[in-house]
Amino acid sequence: MALSRLQIQHFRNIQSASLEPAGGLNLIHGVNGSGKTSVLEAIWFLSVGRSFRTHLAHRSIAHDQSQFTLFTRLSEGDRLGLQRQRDGDNDVRINGERPQRLSDLAALLPLQLISPESFALLLDGPKARREFIDWGAFHSDPQFIGVWSRYRRLLKQRNQLLRQQAPARQIAIWDQQMAHYGQWLTERRSRWVNSLNGALEGIIRQFLPDVPIQVSFSQGWDTKTELEQLLQQSLERDVQLGYTVSGPHKADLRLRVDKLPAQDNLSRGQLKLLVCALKIAQGVVLGQQQQRRCVYLVDDLASELDQGRRTLLLEQLQQTGNQVFVTAIEPEQLAMVRWDKKFHVEHGRITEQAD
């Protein structure tokens, strides 16, 4: 899957733009504030329906406009469109029709984002790592999103009963359902992480050859105990706290170097390479398992990487055979590979450049 056409209107400082990106490496360059990151943000919106820069989506609308409009045609013919009003209304279309749920966009356009904020995957709490795992599970199994939604609703209901100090027999009814869906989620997550490890090992060997990194899946509770049994055993504690302490909602991806958390042993440059390896591996496994391509968005690639590591990262991205969008201030910073297409951004105007 790749974008064959991208149209952007009234999005941040981009008043109107139309691009026909290449299916391989695309470089988007310009000075800070020119609008190059906004191109990546627009693509992200078309996949997940929100921004990766702010939770206030109306800030992405040009200041003198009431809405922005985004459209893309994918290489296999599907058309995705999204219009966002300043009052918060969304109009999402897939091939001219309104989808049943927003996740239908992500199913058609799998994306991986690598940006300076991607450090959150390693440095923040487990939520970002759960979302990372769930990306793979979602794209590998069409039932995942439905089961995940059911588990979340059950968890919310159980927590409400805990706060109300409802009778144990009443909570036990929810425990049975939570255990059923929670075990299903855990099996899919574990299966994806196991698949990821195979692809990740080779990429890490290229990026960090002298660093012994171990990647493992933590399911969110003691593996020796069945989930329903655990929920029953921890009921008194959960009632005191007012929420469910253990379960799939506490799952995590653990990355260690010599038995210590990776973030405690690696430099900033090494951490960025590890994050890049994780993101690249996601797309590789998707291709291996589902014969589907992932689009990579790489913002400010040159940041905190020396010339050798930039070259290594670009070569790994190129070897995936997937579509890649990379932003940079100076194209000379990334002259080590041959770009399929280059786009220059200046004051929100986007121009394709010939080699």
Side-chain angles (χ1 to χ4, degrees):
M1 189 66 64
L3 286 71
S4 60
R5 188 174 187 84
L6 174 64
Q7 294 177 320
I8 305 171
Q9 188 174 39
H10 303 151
F11 189 82
R12 293 199 181 268
N13 68 334
I14 303 175
Q15 289 301 315
S16 182
S18 181
L19 293 73
E20 294 184 2
L25 295 181
N26 296 275
L27 176 62
I28 303 169
H29 66 96
V31 299
N32 286 330
S34 61
K36 56 186 184 297
T37 300
S38 298
V39 177
L40 304 191
E41 185 185 11
I43 297 172
W44 185 262
F45 250 110
L46 282 164
S47 175
V48 299
R50 65 178 187 272
S51 170
F52 62 76
R53 301 168 78 178
T54 175
H55 67 281
L56 301 174
H58 68 271
R59 291 186 176 177
S60 300
I61 303 172
H63 73 277
D64 56 345
Q65 299 294 327
S66 61
Q67 64 187 34
F68 69 68
T69 303
L70 307 173
F71 170 84
T72 186
R73 183 183 298 276
L74 303 179
S75 55
E76 296 183 3
D78 289 306
R79 293 169 288 115
L80 310 181
L82 187 148
Q83 191 173 78
R84 171 82 186 198
Q85 305 285 341
R86 195 171 288 281
D87 62 10
D89 287 344
N90 274 342
D91 186 9
V92 179
R93 300 297 176 104
I94 297 177
N95 297 323
E97 303 290 335
R98 286 191 173 91
Q100 291 186 347
R101 52 194 181 191
L102 202 58
S103 60
D104 292 343
L105 288 173
L108 283 172
L109 183 57
L111 298 180
Q112 282 294 314
L113 173 68
I114 300 172
S115 72
E117 289 71 35
S118 294
F119 280 114
L121 184 61
L122 300 178
L123 301 181
D124 287 0
K127 180 182 177 181
R129 293 185 291 277
R130 273 196 304 275
E131 291 175 350
F132 175 81
I133 297 169
D134 287 348
W135 183 95
F138 165 76
H139 285 290
S140 65
D141 192 323
Q143 297 183 62
F144 182 84
I145 186 66
V147 176
W148 178 85
S149 297
R150 291 188 193 99
Y151 178 84
R152 295 262 302 191
R153 287 195 295 269
L154 291 166
L155 176 64
K156 182 178 180 180
Q157 182 63 39
R158 186 180 194 267
N159 287 342
Q160 183 176 342
L161 292 172
L162 291 171
R163 290 190 292 271
Q164 295 171 351
Q165 297 188 351
R169 62 180 181 277
Q170 184 179 355
I171 297 176
I173 298 173
W174 299 97
D175 289 352
Q176 293 174 4
Q177 297 181 61
M178 279 186 63
H180 171 73
Y181 291 116
Q183 191 60 50
W184 191 97
L185 289 176
T186 299
E187 290 173 358
R188 299 312 187 276
R189 285 169 165 173
S190 179
R191 188 183 305 168
W192 179 260
V193 173
N194 288 338
S195 301
L196 192 66
N197 262 322
L200 191 58
E201 184 178 354
I203 299 171
I204 288 180
R205 194 182 303 121
Q206 293 291 322
F207 282 178
L208 301 166
D210 301 320
V211 181
I213 297 175
Q214 300 88 39
V215 181
S216 62
F217 172 62
S218 173
Q219 65 180 23
W221 76 94
D222 182 7
T223 57
K224 298 178 181 179
T225 307
E226 293 293 330
L227 181 54
E228 186 175 355
Q229 179 184 354
L230 174 85
L231 292 171
Q232 294 171 355
Q233 291 175 349
S234 60
L235 179 58
E236 184 177 346
R237 178 192 58 180
D238 290 351
V239 168
Q240 292 176 348
L241 295 173
Y243 63 89
T244 306
V245 173
S246 302
H249 54 287
K250 297 293 185 178
D252 199 355
L253 185 71
R254 293 178 175 171
L255 299 103
R256 297 185 177 276
V257 177
D258 292 331
K259 299 182 180 181
L260 293 176
Q263 60 268 32
D264 294 340
N265 257 349
L266 301 181
S267 67
R268 292 277 297 184
Q270 288 175 320
L271 285 173
K272 181 160 188 174
L273 284 177
L274 178 55
V275 170
C276 292
L278 288 164
K279 301 273 188 168
I280 292 172
Q282 288 271 53
V284 170
V285 176
L286 180 67
Q288 292 172 345
Q289 291 191 355
Q290 305 294 322
Q291 289 74 54
R292 300 181 61 210
R293 294 190 177 276
C294 169
V295 176
Y296 293 99
L297 309 178
V298 187
D299 193 27
D300 194 14
L301 182 142
S303 173
E304 298 183 3
L305 293 179
D306 58 29
Q307 184 78 359
R309 286 171 171 168
R310 293 175 204 164
T311 303
L312 188 58
L313 176 54
L314 284 172
E315 288 175 345
Q316 285 289 324
L317 288 166
Q318 191 172 39
Q319 287 174 20
T320 67
N322 293 344
Q323 188 175 46
V324 182
F325 294 85
V326 176
T327 67
I329 297 175
E330 296 290 343
E332 292 75 16
Q333 294 176 310
L334 306 174
M336 67 287 293
V337 298
R338 178 175 177 81
W339 296 92
D340 296 300
K341 282 195 175 182
K342 294 180 182 179
F343 299 92
H344 181 242
V345 187
E346 185 176 8
H347 302 303
R349 295 188 297 273
I350 305 173
T351 306
E352 183 177 338
Q353 292 185 318
D355 285 335

